[in-house]
Amino acid sequence: MDLSRGASVFREGDQGDQLYFIVSGKVKLGRTSPDGRESLLAILGPGELFGEMALFDPSPRTATATAVSETRLAGLKNESLNALLRTRPEVSAQLLQALARRLRRTNDSLSDLVFSDVPGRVAKALLDLADRFGRPATDGVLVAHELTQEELAQLVGASRETVNKALAEFVQRGWLRLEARAVVILDMQRLRQRSR
Ligand code: CMP
């Protein structure tokens, strides 16, 4: 399945009978509040999967999945997953590991919402994106996160204005450079200190 930026795979509340593996590109998982505000649970990239919750614990989709760049997905239907788990039991262990990793990450975000200020959360989100999607550039690490500033704000749970202010401050301090849907981290160490 090939998607371009903005195309949805499924929506919160849909019934689902397959999970998806990201072959290339990036997918955002977002939820909408009753008054229409958006919050992002995660940005996932190549090698990660999503849409398994509706299969393991049958219930409607808990988030909307949308491509944020050109994205290629491989879908796996419930029946095929069950057959795979019977013939290759080691796949269950990998799925459990992926779920545990996600819970750990979600717990970290939850603690950050309580314990960290917005600049700290922005710094942490950029470092996490750099870990997963960063590539060496001439003057630092290029993180082509593919997110608008609005989406970045939804990911850290703050207003766009506050996140813009934090980014502008990091730029002014010489810690990073902003590019379209990307940043170049120039001073990893300072950014790491600010994320603690
Ligand atoms: P499902 O509920 O089928 O559809 C939405 C998907 O978003 C869900 O399965 C998970 O794969 C994924 N998802 C839900 N919560 C999180 C989270 N906290 N972090 C990463 N992915 C999530």
Side-chain angles (χ1 to χ4, degrees):
M1 181 191 236
D2 287 311
L3 302 161
S4 42
R5 178 176 164 85
S8 293
V9 188
F10 53 70
R11 309 202 135 268
E12 191 177 344
D14 286 354
Q15 297 300 321
D17 67 346
Q18 58 181 328
L19 60 76
Y20 299 88
F21 179 81
I22 305 177
V23 179
S24 60
K26 291 185 192 69
V27 169
K28 66 174 181 180
L29 292 158
R31 303 180 81 150
T32 309
S33 70
D35 62 1
R37 284 171 301 152
E38 301 250 352
S39 152
L40 290 186
L41 294 171
I43 306 292
L44 304 181
E48 295 186 285
L49 55 83
F50 62 92
E52 77 297 334
M53 283 166 61
L55 306 191
F56 294 154
D57 178 28
S59 55
R61 297 293 191 191
T62 53
T64 297
T66 310
V68 292
S69 61
E70 295 289 314
T71 296
R72 175 164 289 179
L73 301 176
L76 188 64
K77 293 252 187 207
N78 205 5
E79 308 86 72
S80 315
L81 175 67
N82 288 332
L84 183 69
L85 293 178
R86 274 194 301 274
T87 53
R88 306 256 319 263
E90 72 276 14
V91 173
S92 321
Q94 285 168 9
L95 287 172
L96 286 172
Q97 188 191 29
L99 283 177
R101 195 174 293 148
R102 179 181 302 163
L103 182 58
R104 187 181 295 129
R105 182 180 291 255
T106 303
N107 285 350
D108 284 346
S109 307
L110 198 59
S111 299
D112 291 340
L113 270 178
V114 178
F115 299 133
S116 304
D117 60 1
V118 175
R121 302 208 299 266
V122 173
K124 203 150 195 176
L126 293 177
L127 290 167
D128 173 54
L129 291 164
D131 262 358
R132 296 186 297 139
F133 307 126
R135 274 193 238 116
T138 45
D139 51 351
V141 177
L142 170 68
V143 188
H145 52 61
E146 311 286 356
L147 303 176
T148 63
Q149 291 198 352
E150 178 79 57
E151 288 170 325
L152 195 58
Q154 292 167 358
L155 186 64
V156 301
S159 71
R160 190 159 67 94
E161 292 71 20
T162 335
V163 169
N164 283 353
K165 221 171 110 190
L167 288 170
E169 191 193 313
F170 295 167
V171 168
Q172 197 245 324
R173 288 173 184 267
W175 298 353
L176 48 90
R177 197 170 71 232
L178 300 181
E179 293 190 357
R181 292 195 189 128
V183 299
V184 177
I185 301 181
L186 305 169
D187 193 334
M188 202 54 103
Q189 203 184 340
R190 292 281 170 75
L191 200 62
R192 202 163 280 135
Q193 276 165 2
R194 186 57 184 88
S195 77
R196 289 198 189 109

